Amino acid sequence: MILTVTLNTALDLTHHVPQLVPHASHRVTSVTERPGGKGLNVARVLAALGHQTVVTGFVGGATGAVVRDLLVSESPTDALIPIAGNTRRTLAVVDASTGDTTQFNEPGPAVTPAEWQTFLSSYGELLGGARAVALCGSLPPGIHVGAYADLVRRARAAGVPVLLDTSGEPLRRGVAARPDVIKPNADELARLTGSRDASTASADARRKGARAVVASLGPDGLLATTDEGRWQAAPPAPVRGNPTGAGDSAVAGLLCGLVTGLSWPDRLALAVALSAATVAAPAAGEFDRATYESLLPRVEVTSPASGSAPR
């Protein structure tokens, strides 16, 4: 199975409005709610692709109960740890006139030392059956900034490949623990390394400890810097819609490619197609299958050194 960790789970609410106007009242045309947080989004996409997936992290309060109820109808297995605090909410407002999305993210509940220790015990047991683990998203209050570094080391000690997708100081400390893959966006990579050039920054991130760096470049796709080479992949044309969760779908594609033994060019193509298909879907943690199947054979993967890469 594939294990995803979401320490700061959420209830994702998406509101669609005809046009978003500051300082105005709005009539909402449709609302969706989904179990959220980066790792839960990753797990739902993996499950839709047919992979056995387990989600863990923290969940609590009335909002947490809604998250767990919604997970019952989803394929990922729920191994979330209950806490006293109330799970956060996120609100995405989609402007139908432009396709743009405005996002509001609550900080999350405080986690106690006892709750953290309960999680660590469960995490160690889950690693025993995992083929790969993804550590995703922000840290809730109460969790120390080196938490992801600790979880990376535990996964490596168990012989489980680990992908880290976070930002800021948790990313910097996590990289030093030598994760197999990190997936920062351009801004996160620049803050980690001090360089705005994605190629230079990716090489520097590998020197800091990451075995492979897959940088998200927005409309320009993904840039992978690995022991085996360097590749860039992008969709054949821009896709309009809600970008919330697109990066999480890219993580799902990378994990899928890892556990099925795909080459790096094929992993990138899968990740880019899933990411673009998520933009075309109405809510995070979903992807439009028709868009995905249409895009996958048309994703262009190139090697900066040698032009188009074979797939």
Side-chain angles (χ1 to χ4, degrees):
M1 61 89 171
I2 299 173
L3 175 65
T4 72
V5 175
T6 312
L7 298 179
N8 208 5
T9 56
L11 176 64
D12 286 344
L13 304 172
T14 303
H15 287 195
H16 293 258
V17 298
Q19 184 177 21
L20 182 62
V21 181
H23 316 298
S25 296
H26 296 79
R27 186 174 296 279
V28 177
T29 56
S30 66
V31 179
T32 58
E33 61 178 13
R34 297 287 186 274
K38 294 179 72 65
L40 266 68
N41 291 337
V42 171
R44 292 171 61 222
V45 172
L46 284 168
L49 292 171
H51 292 277
Q52 181 187 2
T53 312
V54 175
V55 296
T56 190
F58 298 107
V59 68
T63 307
V66 175
V67 169
R68 299 195 94 153
D69 286 345
L70 291 171
L71 275 174
V72 170
S73 62
E74 305 283 352
S75 298
T77 299
D78 178 356
L80 295 164
I81 303 300
I83 60 173
N86 195 39
T87 294
R88 68 189 178 121
R89 296 161 298 178
T90 71
L91 174 63
V93 181
V94 181
D95 183 333
S97 67
T98 64
D100 293 335
T101 300
T102 301
Q103 188 84 14
F104 300 90
N105 297 327
E106 296 179 355
V111 177
T112 69
E115 290 165 343
W116 175 243
Q117 290 302 316
T118 299
F119 167 79
L120 288 178
S121 177
S122 176
Y123 178 69
E125 294 176 2
L126 290 169
L127 284 175
R131 300 175 63 193
V133 58
L135 310 174
C136 303
S138 60
L139 298 178
I143 299 297
H144 64 96
V145 74
Y148 279 135
D150 185 9
L151 299 184
V152 169
R153 284 190 289 267
R154 290 170 185 250
R156 287 179 52 78
V160 180
V162 56
L163 185 153
L164 177 62
D165 184 15
T166 188
S167 60
E169 187 64 13
L171 175 60
R172 188 185 71 79
R173 297 201 185 191
V175 164
R178 298 188 60 79
D180 293 272
V181 185
I182 63 170
K183 197 212 70 64
N185 62 34
D187 288 339
E188 292 163 350
L189 188 58
R191 288 195 293 270
L192 174 66
T193 65
S195 174
R196 298 297 307 184
D197 179 78
S199 295
T200 300
S202 294
D204 187 37
R206 292 194 68 230
R207 286 191 291 269
K208 291 179 181 295
R211 292 186 167 188
V213 178
V214 180
S216 178
L217 307 179
D220 293 326
L222 300 175
L223 174 68
T225 304
T226 78
D227 283 337
E228 300 173 31
R230 187 156 57 99
W231 296 272
Q232 185 166 350
V239 178
R240 287 191 60 188
N242 179 6
T244 306
D248 305 331
S249 290
V251 169
L254 294 172
L255 289 169
C256 179
L258 171 65
V259 300
T260 57
L262 294 182
S263 67
W264 270 107
D266 283 344
R267 292 185 206 181
L268 289 185
L270 180 60
V272 165
L274 283 170
S275 180
T278 296
V279 175
E286 296 180 353
F287 65 94
D288 184 85
R289 190 169 291 273
T291 301
Y292 162 67
E293 293 174 351
S294 171
L295 285 176
L296 182 57
R298 298 188 292 124
V299 173
E300 182 180 12
V301 184
T302 60
S303 171
S306 58
S308 294
R311 288 172 48 198

